[in-house]
Amino acid sequence: MSESTTDTTGLTHQYSAQVAADLETNLKEQERISGDIAAQQQQLAALQRDHSVLVNIQQALGVTQTTKEPAPSTETATVPSPRQKAKSAPRSKQTARKSTAAPEGTTTKKATAAQERTTAKKSTAAQKNTTAKKSTAKSEATTAQPTLVGLIRHHLAEQDEPRSAAEISAALGQAHPERDIKTKVVRVTLEGLVARSQAQRTKQGSSVFYTAPEAETTPAAEAQPEDTSS
């Protein structure tokens, strides 16, 4: 009986330890995914703001879709006229030829005028499109804002000491007062960076601090003495 009880207690201890480890990894994964979702939601909001600005610029410029004019309207208006004149004027062959030649010239003039109008409209539409593209490029350059992930990584790279999530959110809130930066979102984003090895996390008692990764600076420092010696 004593051996069986010791076996069961050992199994329960192993299972409890395994379950605790699985729970910890599950929580870390949830924090990482929630950080990615928050960053993507901010990117989506920035894109929606850019879309509204572009639509307003397009409406201010008055850019609309150009509709093609019906080309055969000029031919239907001018073709039956020489036939009627030829029937009503049976004087001579020369006068008939003159009467038929005159409307042909007018039709060609009308056709060329219509072509010139269409080309002028196309050129103006092309100019409007180019100006709209330039204005949209300028608006995108001015309205483009860095993401929260980029701000946090840049802030960690500038710090010499570990910083907590509250300190980072307070510093970013002061640097960017126009953005509603919350401590909870910053903490989740930091955990996502830690999961992707883009930040380091240290614990001091019950407090958690974050720093920039130092893996990129060590190989360069070790490689300098070898170059100088050679």
Side-chain angles (χ1 to χ4, degrees):
M1 294 296 289
S2 61
E3 292 180 356
S4 62
T5 54
T6 53
D7 292 335
T8 53
T9 54
L11 290 173
T12 53
H13 181 70
Q14 290 179 358
Y15 285 141
S16 62
Q18 184 65 34
V19 169
D22 293 337
L23 284 172
E24 186 177 1
T25 54
N26 191 353
L27 289 173
K28 289 180 179 179
E29 189 68 18
Q30 288 181 8
E31 290 178 353
R32 182 183 67 80
I33 293 172
S34 60
D36 293 336
I37 291 171
Q40 289 179 359
Q41 285 179 352
Q42 290 184 354
Q43 291 179 0
L44 179 60
L47 289 173
Q48 289 176 351
R49 289 194 297 270
D50 294 339
H51 182 268
S52 62
V53 170
L54 293 175
V55 170
N56 291 327
I57 291 171
Q58 189 177 15
Q59 291 178 356
L61 291 173
V63 178
T64 56
Q65 294 181 355
T66 57
T67 57
K68 295 182 180 179
E69 294 182 353
S73 62
T74 57
E75 294 179 358
T76 56
T78 56
V79 168
S81 60
R83 292 180 181 176
Q84 291 177 359
K85 289 182 180 180
K87 289 180 181 180
S88 62
R91 293 180 181 178
S92 63
K93 293 181 179 180
Q94 293 179 355
T95 56
R97 288 177 182 176
K98 289 180 180 179
S99 63
T100 53
E104 288 179 355
T106 55
T107 53
T108 54
K109 288 181 181 179
K110 289 181 180 179
T112 54
Q115 289 179 358
E116 289 177 356
R117 289 177 183 174
T118 53
T119 52
K121 288 181 180 179
K122 288 180 180 179
S123 62
T124 52
Q127 289 178 359
K128 287 181 180 179
N129 288 325
T130 53
T131 53
K133 287 180 181 179
K134 289 180 181 179
S135 62
T136 51
K138 289 181 181 179
S139 64
E140 286 178 356
T142 54
T143 57
Q145 294 181 356
T147 60
L148 182 62
V149 177
L151 291 175
I152 292 173
R153 291 182 63 186
H154 183 70
H155 182 73
L156 290 177
E158 290 180 349
Q159 302 300 317
D160 296 331
E161 296 179 355
R163 300 291 180 184
S164 64
E167 292 175 349
I168 294 170
S169 62
L172 293 178
Q174 291 179 359
H176 302 278
E178 71 279 1
R179 302 181 66 169
D180 187 11
I181 298 174
K182 296 181 180 179
T183 306
K184 184 177 180 180
V185 178
V186 172
R187 185 179 292 107
V188 172
T189 307
L190 286 167
E191 292 296 330
L193 292 174
V194 171
R196 293 193 296 271
S197 299
Q198 295 179 359
Q200 292 181 354
R201 178 178 59 184
T202 56
K203 286 186 178 180
Q204 296 180 4
S206 60
S207 301
V208 180
F209 296 94
Y210 301 91
T211 56
E214 298 179 355
E216 297 178 356
T217 59
T218 52
E222 293 178 355
Q224 288 179 356
E226 294 179 0
D227 296 334
T228 55
S229 62
S230 60

